[in-house]
Amino acid sequence: MWRQTFLILTTGALLLPAAEPEKPKNPAIGNPEAIAAGQKLFGAGCAGCHGTSGEGGRGPKLRNRAVWHTLDDDGIFKTIKRGVPGADMPGSSLEDEKIWQLVAFVRSINSPAIEQNVPGSPQAGEAIFWGKGGCGNCHLIRGKGGMLGPDLSNVGGLRPVEQIREDILTPDNDGYETYRRVTAVTTSGRKIEGVLKNRTNYSLQIQDAQGNLHMVSTAGLREITLEKKSPMPKDFKSRLSREEFRDLVAFLSRQSMRPAEGGK
Amino acid sequence: MKALAILLVAAALSAQVKYEDILKGPGANWITYAGGYSGQRHSSLTQISTANAGSIVPKWVYHVPKASGLRTHPLVYNGVMYITNTNRVIALDARTGRQIWEYFDPKAKKDGVNRGAAVLGDKVFFVTSDVHLVALDRRNGALLWQTKYGDPDKGQNATLAPLVVKDKVLVGNAGGDTGMRGSLVAINANTGKEDWRLYTIPAKGEPGSETWSDLHEWGGGATWLTGTYDPALNLIYWPTGNPWPDFYGGNRKGDNLYSASVLAIDADTGKMKWYFQFTPHDVHDWDAQAWPVLVDLPFRGQQRKLMLYGNRNGFYYVLDRVTGEYLHGTKLVDRVDWASGLDDRGRPVLVAGKDPTITGNVSCPGVRGATNWMSPSFNPATGLFYIMTLEQCDVYSASTKEPEPMKGFSGGGAGRNPESPGRFVLRALEPTTGKRRWEYAMSGKVDAWPGTLSTAGGVIFSADDDGHLVAFDARNGKVLWHFQTGETINTSPVTFAVDGKQYVSIASSTAIFTFGLFEPAAPVTPPVVKEVP
């Protein structure tokens, strides 16, 4: 009878169900030949809507994880095979092996930058980050830098390289209100300036340039001024040469809290 | 309008958390797992008292993303709350529950729970499930460094809240139910470099290794519950887990040091000063993972530095924390049948026939223990020790299969005994005798793990087995107030104050609930919001 009762172990974390073992990846994922084959198939069948390098068009952009569903490999496979009901995307009649080549290509353009082969010199990019680019005035890497922008210690571990490029060139397009300049004026006339961390009709959380947090109830405020645009400079195309920009992206792509999978 | 002006808080929250702040113990801030080093979980706050606890109301709820079975104890410093979930830290505005920042490590391997963070200076520390200590900037969650201090490929994972002692961050590991070697590691808070490491299972040839016939490398002795610290003695007290395999001891004949023990460790060097083993050669998975609570009290006419210890094995212990001398022991729960008592050195006097068997054997307490990681507390005003206990027996089975580490093998198992479903009982004990002064039996399914919090307002907060947060009168156990969270509670409450207002917070299975005293709401006149395109 007792054998039907569930096993209880009470040490550490083991009361929760054990983590599911990681599924082995399809051999096509990360395989350069499969990626090249997938790119050809993509150009023939997908690029018409999704753009030749996944930049999007009639169909969604595929190379930027933040703006489309973060599907796993199986999810991408199923989406290609079955299509998207109710949308213009048809199911594919390709054999499974070829669909996996497509998945491998899509993965290659939207996997985190640390997993991608990114051209350029990270060493030269590091000098630009802390010097000519001025990035370190507002951004932190491993505790060094300024407080106003997002921490970039793990940017290569989280974002695909194309997204990093876009983040630098078109920072206003991220769709967020946070990290924008804000000024709050209290009923007694005191000014609190910094970047916005969070806002509701009842409270604001503001961080100033020194990193101090100001947690403010709107009940004590007279006025709030919110800048809709990012405080990021918009002149990187003119401030940096093509090579310098490439190197900066190469440096950011190497910023990861974890080593690359597969030891890249 | 004056009242509105008072509502405004624009605290410049740049102050550094100092070691001396942790030494002060819990007041407006709650900045270490147990609130203070003694493990008493007694706050000096008095605003919420026995007189007004009936007017406690919820202030906010924060639903933790992807949470299930939360174990976190919130920390609060200068109005910012730090909570954790697996591989995740979130900073909240402690007055409103609004998120300030979030840090998540999606690449950390393994899964599991997380018991909380630690803070020092500008940093907040937590452990990932794959045994990294991570240091973040407390102000914005930026990564400063991370140090791998254990090896998931050797069966280890990590769940604990780190403990800051001076300039060190102490961390331990879990995984003792499937084979691994426990250790306690001190990591420099500034550099992330390892200062010292103490293994809980001696290597072959080291003193204590003669208490194992084999399995030194996989013998368990996990260190997954945060210990306590006596600054005057400079000793860290750390509990250790069960020996492995949990339920079959035929391959590890002997006492199996230093499993199921409390270790007293020099904070500077990591050298063990003394140990006390509660359950020699444990075969019931009775980790000593409970809180070593440090109090100074008269004991038999003499002022002593004591350690109070409610243990999973069913007994309550009073030790001298200077020497480790056993002073007193008694049954913590009624249902104890594996030992008839403790001898004059505190060693259990075994009852024959209570070990797990191939076909299953009922023994008490159950595998969850007479108590567990749920926090006890001590109230200096009442002089009482408050502890959540579990009256339960289980059916224990053994497997004589050759032990294979990291394969989910624990040498047997334990299942519920339908004839003894069990129940939680919150008990107030005289600390030096273990005599019961009051108790509160709970209904429920015996699936919670709630701890206690003591306050100078004379209120004991705890949760019950039905998802209520409950306020008790510390003197007599009278229920003053209760609130249904709608979920199982596996954690302990904390208390803190912001802008002179006292709050109480607890994690339910998926959310952080925060309470305070009722205040009538004032009408809000929203400020003018100007948007600059």
Side-chain angles (χ1 to χ4, degrees), chain B residues 25-31 43-45 76-79 495-501:
Chain B
N29 295 319
W30 188 283
I31 49 176
S43 166
S44 61
L45 296 179
V76 178
Y77 183 71
N78 274 7
T495 188
F496 58 93
V498 188
D499 306 336
K501 291 177 190 170

Side-chain angles (χ1 to χ4, degrees), chain B residues 17 30 56 144 171 230 250 263 329 336 345 367 434:
Chain B
V17 180
W30 188 283
I56 297 172
L144 300 176
V171 282
D230 183 327
L263 312 182
V336 182
R345 300 182 68 185
V367 72

Side-chain angles (χ1 to χ4, degrees), chain B residues 13 66 164 353 381 399:
Chain B
L13 299 165
K66 303 195 172 176
V164 165
S399 163

Side-chain angles (χ1 to χ4, degrees), chain B residues 19-52:
Chain B
Y19 167 62
E20 289 73 21
D21 296 329
I22 308 174
L23 284 174
K24 282 181 205 156
N29 295 319
W30 188 283
I31 49 176
T32 188
Y33 187 59
Y37 282 128
S38 68
Q40 293 181 11
R41 297 191 105 253
H42 176 77
S43 166
S44 61
L45 296 179
T46 57
Q47 192 175 72
I48 296 175
S49 68
T50 51
N52 62 19

Side-chain angles (χ1 to χ4, degrees), chain B residues 311-455:
Chain B
N311 197 277
R312 263 168 87 163
N313 69 11
F315 291 95
Y316 172 75
Y317 298 79
V318 182
L319 305 180
D320 180 316
R321 73 172 183 271
V322 182
T323 62
E325 181 192 355
Y326 166 79
L327 299 176
H328 177 71
T330 187
K331 284 186 178 177
L332 174 65
V333 289
D334 296 335
R335 293 185 188 177
V336 182
D337 70 357
W338 69 286
S340 59
L342 304 172
D343 70 14
D344 57 6
R345 300 182 68 185
R347 192 179 176 93
V349 180
L350 298 181
V351 171
K354 299 314 293 183
D355 283 2
T357 59
I358 304 289
T359 53
N361 192 16
V362 175
S363 188
C364 323
V367 72
R368 290 172 155 236
T371 188
N372 204 307
W373 77 73
M374 50 280 254
S375 59
S377 56
F378 175 77
N379 186 305
T382 61
L384 296 178
F385 180 69
Y386 304 89
I387 184 164
M388 189 64 70
T389 65
L390 178 54
E391 297 281 0
Q392 192 172 33
C393 306
D394 276 335
V395 182
Y396 291 89
S397 66
S399 163
T400 55
K401 211 177 99 183
E402 189 65 27
E404 256 195 287
M406 301 196 297
K407 294 281 165 78
F409 178 75
S410 57
R416 291 204 180 176
N417 176 9
E419 290 160 23
S420 166
R423 66 174 173 170
F424 280 103
V425 184
L426 175 63
R427 290 185 161 120
L429 308 180
E430 286 179 7
T432 54
T433 64
K435 283 186 186 146
R436 295 173 193 168
R437 289 281 286 276
W438 60 258
E439 64 180 36
Y440 181 80
M442 295 172 179
S443 55
K445 295 181 195 161
V446 191
D447 55 5
W449 305 87
T452 69
L453 162 71
S454 167
T455 67

Side-chain angles (χ1 to χ4, degrees), chain B residues 210-215 219 242-257 259 279-285 354-358 396-403 409-413:
Chain B
E210 71 284 358
T211 65
W212 293 80
S213 49
D214 208 346
L215 296 174
N242 55 283
W244 180 81
D246 305 31
F247 303 101
Y248 178 69
N251 296 316
R252 49 174 174 85
K253 289 185 176 134
D255 280 357
N256 307 144
L257 293 174
S259 66
T279 315
H281 191 73
D282 168 48
V283 286
H284 294 96
D285 187 16
K354 299 314 293 183
D355 283 2
T357 59
I358 304 289
Y396 291 89
S397 66
S399 163
T400 55
K401 211 177 99 183
E402 189 65 27
F409 178 75
S410 57

